[in-house]
Amino acid sequence: MTAANREDIDHGGRLLLFVTGEAPRSRRARTNLRNVLKARGGDPDQVVEIDLLRQPERAIRHRMFATPALLRTDAAGTESVLYGDLSDSVRLHRFLDDLPDEET
Amino acid sequence: MNAHEPLLVKRPTGISGVDDVTRGGLPADGATLVMGEPGAGKTVLGLQILGRAVERGEGGVFLSFEESRSQVQRDAESFTWGRALRDPDRLVVLEGQDSRHTEIAGAFDLEALLAALDASAQRVGASWVVLDGIDRLLQLQPDTRTAVDQVGRIDEWARNTGRSVLLTGKHAGTTGSTGPNHLEGVEFLLSTVLVLSARVEEQRLNRRFRVAKYRGSSHAADALAMLIDDDGIHLPYSEPVPDNVPEVPRERVSSGIGRLDEILGGGFYRGSSTLISGQPGTAKTTLATAFAAAAGQRGERALFLSFDEFSGQIIRDTASVGIDLQSHIDSGTLRIHARAAWAAQVEEHYRQLLRQVDDFQPHCLVIDPISALLKSSGHDSTFIAIERILARARGTGITTVLTSLSNTDDPVSETTLSHASTLADTWIVLQYQAHEGERNRSLSVVKSRGTAHSNQVREVLISSRGVMLEEVFQYGSQVLMGTARLEKEREMAEAREARALERTRRQRDLERQIEQTRSRMDQAGTELEQLQRQLGEETAAQSDHDHAAERHHRHVLQRRGEDNSHSANAGGTEDGT
């Protein structure tokens, strides 16, 4: 995954997708996010994916105990979390709408 | 199938009360649900279990969904075992509380949680894992079924890794809140459920602990009083009551009052309990201190638990009536422990009392007055506390004296009194006998098991030389004491004397009369003799006369016979001679 070598970079203004390996929900979330970002003309690569099975300490650091989950940090450092496999595209769109520095 | 189900293995919680009621602890592998209102002690329970585990050299993981790490640590620091939780090689504290804006967009699971727990638990070799406030995490779940499934996964993880997991959560059912109950269903899923509750009764928080469910294990099912102090959680009534008394001692222990010992056939039985009840000022405390002082004189330890007075007061007051407590305190045989009844719950008093008993190992125990427990909150458990205190004392051979304030205006205290009096082996009632503006104390032994005793009322005299019992003065149906007794006694003595005098006087009178009669009799005797003599003389004179007359008659007849022919009226002639 592209996420593997980008997980330690500063994620300000970016999206972190927390998954647990290849669990069905994690796979669905990955696909759903990719599709919505594409539909919005966004760059799917802006998403940093973190596999908590491989890096459980990141679950602790980010307080991410339910997965899949999408973590968004705005420029001010305020975090928002969207839990679930992102199958609710209306919610996902709204979550992404609020992103102030969304790239085009 | 059940036949293949492995035997339930338990892991001690290290909290003696909890281990008592769960008969050895919680499942060694698997999850236990702890439900309860906010403030019921769920977090403390989790922290204390971890603290005890760390003290035993085990590891633990604490994940809080409600508090930050520093808050958790601060919570723990206030307890004696809190320091153990600061060891980072033994305990991992994880923060799960989430103040972020969160939304749900589809299904999710707690696999990440398990991954994080697994990593942490392995690092410190955790035997216990506590997830505090699991309801916070479950409320994210779209429905109860999903939530229950997730808890099922946690339980499975615990079983597979051989760890004890504690899940704590708010119990909506008991709070009466209308919000969703995120633990609904979870309580059916898990085999062990503990319910903690916290209610404010009489302006005081009363906590209860209950094992709602423990599949495959016996357990105490009742809701038990729960206390939290600096040692953490205590379940004062969790200990099974010892019902086997090895032997009933025949030995007598002095009450400290000689006359009372006599009445009781030598004193109280060792290991027995005595209730001294009475209205305020009837010298209950004085009698109790006499008992404690007597213990000291025998070289035995006595623990005096005072609910009414400070120890200084007791020592001073009893010294004034000739009972010396100070020297026994100095020699270490007497310990006075003063407590304010209203300042704590009954359970807490009970626990502190047991602590004192364990620490001091007394031969004799005084609780003055036991009725004060009614002033403390949670007094519905007063009876349990009294029963347990007495059972404990009996089981360990401690001779107990309880005093109880009786107040006819207060039905509640009367109930306690009657309850305590059925439990006690001996019941001594102190009373005031009011008579002509004077109040005197009286004592009667209402009941004394295994002792022939007199029901007679005695007067209690308290002077600087100590406590004395006086035989009372029975006057008809009345019992007289004090001045009334003295006055009546004097009155009676005077009357007796008066009667004695009267008798003497009457005796003398009679004697005099007899004397008089006797002298009259003597007189009469003399008279009689005189008369008899007179009569005798008289008779003698008569007979002389008669003889003379006869002689004369014969002489006349003789003469008549001589000249019969010549005088016809010789008689006439005779009369004229």
Side-chain angles (χ1 to χ4, degrees):
Chain A
M1 300 262 50
T2 51
N5 49 14
R6 297 183 59 178
E7 60 206 10
D8 287 316
I9 62 164
D10 173 42
H11 55 267
R14 287 177 196 276
L15 294 167
L16 294 183
L17 179 65
F18 293 88
V19 296
T20 46
E22 292 302 309
R25 290 189 183 106
S26 294
R27 279 212 302 270
R28 278 204 295 279
R30 191 181 297 134
T31 310
N32 288 334
L33 179 59
R34 200 166 269 276
N35 290 343
V36 165
L37 283 174
K38 268 184 193 160
R40 293 166 65 96
D43 174 15
D45 285 346
Q46 71 174 295
V47 179
V48 177
E49 195 176 303
I50 298 166
D51 182 359
L52 295 178
L53 291 188
R54 281 159 62 195
Q55 296 181 286
E57 71 283 355
R58 304 248 354 213
I60 295 165
R61 202 214 298 172
H62 297 286
R63 299 176 196 176
M64 241 6 126
F65 300 111
T67 48
L70 187 58
L71 175 69
R72 197 204 72 193
T73 311
D74 65 17
T78 309
E79 293 181 335
S80 306
V81 184
L82 189 62
Y83 288 103
D85 59 11
L86 310 179
S87 53
D88 186 340
S89 55
V90 178
R91 291 236 167 134
L92 178 55
H93 271 292
R94 200 167 64 213
F95 188 78
L96 295 172
D97 282 345
D98 297 340
L99 212 60
D101 55 349
E102 185 179 343
E103 292 166 46
T104 44
Chain B
M1 298 312 290
N2 276 351
H4 298 291
E5 214 163 85
L7 199 70
L8 177 71
V9 180
K10 294 179 185 180
R11 193 189 302 279
T13 62
I15 303 171
S16 60
V18 177
D19 288 339
D20 280 339
V21 297
T22 56
R23 313 281 188 257
L26 297 172
D29 46 4
T32 295
L33 177 66
V34 181
M35 298 193 289
E37 296 112 318
K42 302 182 295 294
T43 302
V44 178
L45 179 70
L47 286 173
Q48 191 174 352
I49 288 175
L50 291 175
R52 295 298 183 210
V54 171
E55 281 174 353
R56 288 194 305 266
E58 297 168 24
V61 176
F62 188 87
L63 168 53
S64 173
F65 292 101
E66 295 184 329
E67 292 179 301
S68 69
R69 182 177 289 112
S70 57
Q71 278 175 307
V72 169
Q73 238 128 25
R74 204 182 46 226
D75 287 353
E77 290 292 312
S78 59
F79 296 100
T80 51
W81 35 260
R83 289 191 158 273
L85 297 177
R86 289 220 312 239
D87 183 352
D89 295 328
R90 284 280 163 234
L91 187 85
V92 178
V93 178
L94 301 178
E95 293 180 318
Q97 111 267 38
D98 200 346
S99 56
R100 297 172 291 208
H101 173 76
T102 57
E103 268 192 274
I104 315 288
F108 60 95
D109 55 53
L110 301 178
E111 292 304 312
L113 171 75
L114 296 179
L117 291 180
D118 209 49
S120 305
Q122 276 187 33
R123 188 165 70 75
V124 295
S127 53
W128 287 95
V129 173
V130 177
L131 305 182
D132 195 31
I134 189 79
D135 53 309
R136 287 285 188 93
L137 188 64
L138 297 181
Q139 72 188 16
L140 293 172
Q141 300 290 343
D143 56 67
T144 313
R145 247 206 62 183
T146 318
V148 171
D149 285 348
Q150 299 307 323
V151 173
R153 275 289 292 135
I154 297 172
D155 187 39
E156 195 184 309
W157 172 78
R159 286 172 193 279
N160 292 341
T161 58
R163 296 196 168 95
S164 297
V165 172
L166 214 63
L167 305 173
T168 81
K170 279 187 285 299
H171 187 323
T174 55
T175 51
S177 93
T178 51
N181 185 356
H182 303 290
L183 298 175
E184 196 188 342
V186 174
E187 43 187 308
F188 301 108
L189 172 80
L190 296 179
S191 59
T192 314
V193 178
L194 310 179
V195 176
L196 308 187
S197 70
R199 313 263 158 82
V200 175
E201 290 154 14
E202 294 158 38
Q203 287 85 48
R204 204 176 283 273
L205 189 66
N206 286 304
R207 294 190 172 95
R208 295 284 181 274
F209 178 101
R210 181 165 67 91
V211 180
K213 174 173 154 189
Y214 200 164
R215 216 178 278 150
S217 167
S218 67
H219 59 271
D222 298 341
L224 293 169
M226 182 175 107
L227 297 175
I228 299 180
D229 64 12
D230 58 347
D231 270 344
I233 286 173
H234 300 277
L235 306 178
Y237 307 138
S238 65
E239 266 179 71
V241 176
D243 48 10
N244 55 327
V245 180
E247 51 176 317
V248 182
R250 308 302 301 167
E251 188 195 341
R252 299 281 191 170
V253 172
S254 173
S255 66
I257 298 159
R259 191 72 194 88
L260 182 57
D261 288 348
E262 280 173 41
I263 295 165
L264 293 169
F268 306 131
Y269 277 121
R270 186 173 293 284
S272 74
S273 53
T274 300
L275 175 72
I276 301 173
S277 71
Q279 284 175 291
T282 46
K284 297 182 296 297
T285 301
T286 309
L287 255 70
T289 51
F291 168 68
Q297 265 154 21
R298 293 190 302 271
E300 293 181 0
R301 286 183 300 280
L303 176 63
F304 194 105
L305 179 66
S306 169
F307 276 122
D308 270 359
E309 294 170 282
F310 296 113
S311 61
Q313 253 177 301
I314 298 168
I315 296 163
R316 186 198 60 206
D317 294 350
T318 53
S320 72
V321 296
I323 299 169
D324 171 33
L325 296 179
Q326 190 61 54
S327 69
H328 301 306
I329 291 172
D330 295 343
S331 69
T333 53
L334 176 64
R335 185 184 284 184
I336 301 180
H337 181 65
R339 297 183 65 80
W342 47 267
Q345 285 165 265
V346 171
E347 297 87 51
E348 211 169 313
H349 288 308
Y350 172 73
R351 201 180 99 66
Q352 287 301 327
L353 170 67
L354 290 194
R355 241 187 190 183
Q356 291 279 338
V357 167
D358 286 342
D359 182 48
F360 193 52
Q361 302 278 320
H363 301 88
C364 297
L365 171 68
V366 175
I367 303 175
D368 179 47
I370 192 87
S371 47
L373 288 179
L374 292 170
K375 279 188 267 178
S376 51
S377 129
H379 63 62
D380 53 328
S381 87
T382 302
F383 299 161
I384 308 172
I386 295 173
E387 265 180 50
R388 284 183 163 266
I389 289 165
L390 292 183
R392 171 73 175 255
R394 199 184 311 275
T396 48
I398 299 173
T399 314
T400 311
V401 167
L402 311 173
T403 71
S404 181
L405 187 65
S406 65
N407 184 354
T408 42
D409 301 333
D410 183 357
V412 185
S413 78
E414 282 302 297
T415 317
T416 321
L417 183 60
S418 70
H419 180 82
S421 66
T422 49
L423 294 174
D425 300 304
T426 303
W427 184 14
I428 294 169
V429 173
L430 296 174
Q431 274 175 308
Y432 270 132
Q433 308 271 340
H435 191 267
E436 288 175 0
E438 190 182 64
R439 292 177 140 228
N440 296 292
R441 299 178 181 99
S442 75
L443 175 149
S444 50
V445 178
V446 174
K447 143 183 167 182
S448 189
R449 282 183 194 141
T451 303
H453 63 92
S454 152
N455 284 326
Q456 207 200 325
V457 176
R458 276 145 183 112
E459 183 174 4
V460 181
L461 294 177
I462 297 175
S463 69
S464 58
R465 287 168 305 151
V467 182
M468 311 265 272
L469 295 186
E470 278 288 320
E471 298 300 321
V472 290
F473 199 80
Q474 298 262 4
Y475 183 69
S477 61
Q478 258 188 307
V479 170
L480 299 178
M481 281 185 281
T483 310
R485 168 170 61 88
L486 293 175
E487 263 178 12
K488 198 73 200 175
E489 275 174 354
R490 203 184 58 227
E491 212 173 274
M492 296 283 281
E494 278 171 2
R496 256 198 315 276
E497 197 154 322
R499 277 198 301 276
L501 280 172
E502 176 68 12
R503 260 198 307 280
T504 319
R505 195 182 57 75
R506 280 224 313 276
Q507 276 171 10
R508 286 210 187 108
D509 237 29
L510 285 170
E511 277 164 13
R512 201 171 54 241
Q513 279 178 34
I514 290 170
E515 207 53 43
Q516 286 171 348
T517 310
R518 253 198 204 117
S519 68
R520 275 205 309 273
M521 274 166 68
D522 287 350
Q523 236 178 339
T526 317
E527 249 178 63
L528 181 69
E529 274 170 36
Q530 227 169 2
L531 290 171
Q532 279 170 337
R533 199 170 51 245
Q534 278 177 6
L535 179 64
E537 282 165 8
E538 202 58 41
T539 314
Q542 176 70 47
S543 110
D544 284 353
H545 176 79
D546 284 352
H547 286 304
E550 203 182 332
R551 266 196 322 270
H552 178 69
H553 184 62
R554 264 198 316 268
H555 180 69
V556 170
L557 286 177
Q558 209 173 356
R559 282 188 38 190
R560 284 226 181 123
E562 280 173 14
D563 46 71
N564 206 9
S565 50
H566 46 276
S567 178
N569 34 333
T573 320
E574 184 190 344
D575 289 340
T577 46

